[in-house]
Amino acid sequence: MHPDFSIDGRHKGFPLAAGPVRASQLAERGWNVLADDLAYPLAVIRRSALEHNVRWMQAYARDRRIVLAPHGKTTMSPQLFDLQLRGGAWGLTFATIHQLSVGLEAGLRRAIIANQVVAPADLDGLDVLLDRHQDLRVWFLVDSIAQLHCIEDWARMRGSRRVFDVLLEVGIPGQRTGVRTRDDALALARAIGASASVRLGGIECYEGGLAQCDSAHDVPAVTELVRRVIRIAAECDALGLLPAEDPILSAGGSAIFDLVVPLLQGAGLKRPFLGVLRSGCYVTHDQGNYRRLLRLIEQRAGLRDSLQAALEVWAMVQSVPEPGLALLTCGRRDISHDQEMPSVQRWAPRGVQAAQDAPASWKIDALNDQHAYLRFDPARDGPAVGDRVALGISHPCTTFDKWRWMAVVDDAWTVVDAIETRF
């Protein structure tokens, strides 16, 4: 995985006694997590699961005649962006202009900023990137005439003739950004069409806020959103407000992405649209919230094969101060905890270079900044000081942003590569 980068003792988890190394040369060290060659805690990505997920999601999109623009905010890793693009992704999605600039290091040439761009400094930045990369196409979201005025004011202040590509965002009452009504959407589409500073490329929505991990709720709620967006797209097209070629329909978080496929396929529209799916967390998946949501997708879509959890954080048992409690060298600074506590996945006794499934009764019930509280049944065998424990996560985004690098390992936990993050 490229681009290459250097790792040294300034990176958490890298052994201070070792000299700096390029990621491309890391495999030559022969390090193994379970040989205690690296420091704990250590975030690792299993290569086999990672590559499976990239292939699986690309095939999922291809089989449904849509394209994939994975959300880069999940990992902010140029190496993973490169992997996704080489795997067939149409482009990438970002939330900010800074994130877009990182994506360009991986050779990106098409991107969606799934967010409103308003600030003059951000418009300056996008203008510079578009000048620097003449073959780059970027679409960002517009959801109000007030935002449109901000863009036009920027153009006047800068004396710029730049025409930005935009998508009209349709929102959900009480939730995130996006126009709330059909009338507002059509008024905004007309205003965009009359502006010299922007060019309307298509229609966008975000359905993830509707997810309740309950198909009885999620299916009708997203279906109603899909119908509303389709109606707005059809009216904008009938008014001649969308491009003659490849108008975009875009949606898709990581929770209920199957339910927006009819929208992305342009169901009921009179001509082809380009359906762009923006899911991001699939690349490493998780062992918590997204795992539960994926099971429902599997049921709804009749899938026999799906995503695998690729990311985990290894920690060492540093203290067993009382029966039933072990303290691990991993805390809030190291692992996701915004949705739920980490789960105990694997266990390797001290001195043993092999991992086994952890007992189902082992639970993490609290985190400090640098400690995890592992509870176990004191009447049974528990972990001992020096044992290693692999923790699974819920919501990969907030584990990635705690690490400047992550080791990529094979199925024997030998380090074969690395990725960096650029938050």
Side-chain angles (χ1 to χ4, degrees):
M1 289 178 289
H2 299 284
D4 205 1
F5 69 104
S6 181
I7 322 166
D8 58 29
R10 293 172 294 180
H11 294 73
K12 177 173 62 175
F14 189 88
L16 278 171
V21 63
R22 305 291 294 179
S24 60
Q25 300 170 333
L26 192 57
E28 299 171 9
R29 299 282 174 104
W31 288 341
N32 187 281
V33 175
L34 300 184
D36 297 334
D37 289 324
L38 297 101
Y40 299 101
L42 182 71
V44 305
I45 300 173
R46 289 190 303 113
R47 181 174 61 183
S48 60
L50 174 69
E51 293 176 346
H52 165 86
N53 291 347
V54 171
R55 290 192 302 268
W56 186 91
M57 198 64 175
Q58 195 63 47
Y60 180 90
R62 182 184 62 246
D63 291 348
R64 288 154 182 80
R65 303 181 305 281
I66 59 180
V67 300
L68 187 63
H71 210 313
K73 70 174 176 59
T74 298
T75 69
M76 284 304 297
S77 169
Q79 293 74 33
L80 294 181
F81 297 161
D82 176 69
L83 181 66
Q84 290 169 308
L85 291 169
R86 286 190 291 107
W90 170 86
L92 294 171
T93 299
F94 299 101
T96 68
I97 303 303
H98 164 71
Q99 292 176 2
L100 170 65
S101 70
V102 175
L104 290 170
E105 296 179 26
L108 173 74
R109 288 301 173 261
R110 284 190 291 257
I112 292 176
I113 306 293
N115 212 348
Q116 281 65 38
V117 179
V118 181
D122 285 330
L123 293 165
D124 288 341
L126 180 54
D127 187 48
V128 166
L129 293 177
L130 291 169
D131 269 340
R132 190 177 298 161
H133 304 276
Q134 293 292 317
D135 58 344
L136 175 65
R137 291 292 304 276
V138 179
W139 294 261
F140 66 82
L141 307 189
V142 174
D143 74 345
S144 70
I145 291 175
Q147 180 197 357
L148 180 58
H149 289 164
C150 289
I151 299 166
E152 292 169 335
D153 288 347
W154 170 87
R156 281 191 291 270
M157 288 187 294
R158 299 294 190 265
S160 174
R161 294 184 179 181
R162 171 73 66 192
V163 180
F164 293 111
D165 289 308
V166 300
L167 302 176
L168 189 155
E169 180 174 28
V170 178
I172 301 167
Q175 295 203 12
R176 220 160 71 175
T177 50
V179 294
R180 292 335 200 208
T181 69
R182 170 252 184 202
D183 288 348
D184 286 345
L186 294 180
L188 178 57
R190 289 188 177 98
I192 291 172
S195 175
S197 298
V198 294
R199 175 173 48 234
L200 185 59
I203 312 294
E204 182 275 350
C205 70
Y206 170 67
E207 80 291 345
L210 295 170
Q212 294 186 6
C213 205
D214 176 4
S215 290
H217 168 273
D218 297 348
V219 173
V222 177
T223 298
E224 173 55 31
L225 174 64
V226 166
R227 289 172 178 164
R228 189 157 60 93
V229 176
I230 287 285
R231 286 195 296 268
I232 291 169
E235 291 193 70
C236 287
D237 203 27
L239 292 169
L241 298 172
L242 294 177
E245 294 184 6
D246 295 329
I248 290 172
L249 285 173
S250 182
S254 299
I256 45 177
F257 55 84
D258 63 311
L259 298 180
V260 293
V261 167
L263 168 65
L264 303 182
Q265 293 173 332
L269 292 171
K270 293 182 178 179
R271 67 178 176 115
F273 277 61
L274 179 67
V276 183
L277 180 66
R278 304 192 309 270
S279 305
C281 292
Y282 78 88
V283 70
T284 59
H285 195 41
D286 74 6
Q287 296 97 339
N289 188 52
Y290 286 119
R291 182 182 182 185
R292 290 188 293 271
L293 287 159
L294 183 65
R295 287 172 178 165
L296 295 179
I297 295 175
E298 292 168 351
Q299 294 169 11
R300 291 192 296 258
L303 301 175
R304 296 181 179 178
D305 177 40
S306 62
L307 302 172
Q308 301 173 8
L311 174 60
E312 57 194 18
V313 177
W314 280 88
M316 179 171 278
V317 179
Q318 69 182 81
S319 177
V320 185
E322 62 187 58
L325 173 63
L327 278 301
L328 310 182
T329 57
C330 175
R332 288 189 291 252
R333 299 294 177 88
D334 312 304
I335 197 165
S336 301
H337 57 91
D338 53 311
Q339 290 188 344
E340 58 194 277
M341 286 292 115
S343 56
V344 185
Q345 296 292 316
R346 276 174 274 276
W347 167 52
R350 178 172 177 260
V352 176
Q353 200 168 321
Q356 56 190 284
D357 290 343
S361 59
W362 289 13
K363 305 290 182 186
I364 303 296
D365 72 349
L367 295 173
N368 297 147
D369 281 355
Q370 309 289 170
H371 298 87
Y373 291 67
L374 191 162
R375 303 287 179 177
F376 61 92
D377 182 353
R380 302 180 181 180
D381 289 339
V385 172
D387 290 354
R388 287 73 48 84
V389 176
L391 300 178
I393 60 168
S394 184
H395 193 198
C397 302
T398 49
T399 292
F400 272 101
D401 65 15
K402 299 176 188 298
W403 293 84
R404 291 175 56 202
W405 80 296
M406 291 182 179
V408 177
V409 300
D410 65 17
D411 289 342
W413 285 276
T414 297
V415 179
V416 294
D417 208 333
I419 63 100
E420 66 176 327
T421 66
R422 299 278 298 280
F423 289 94

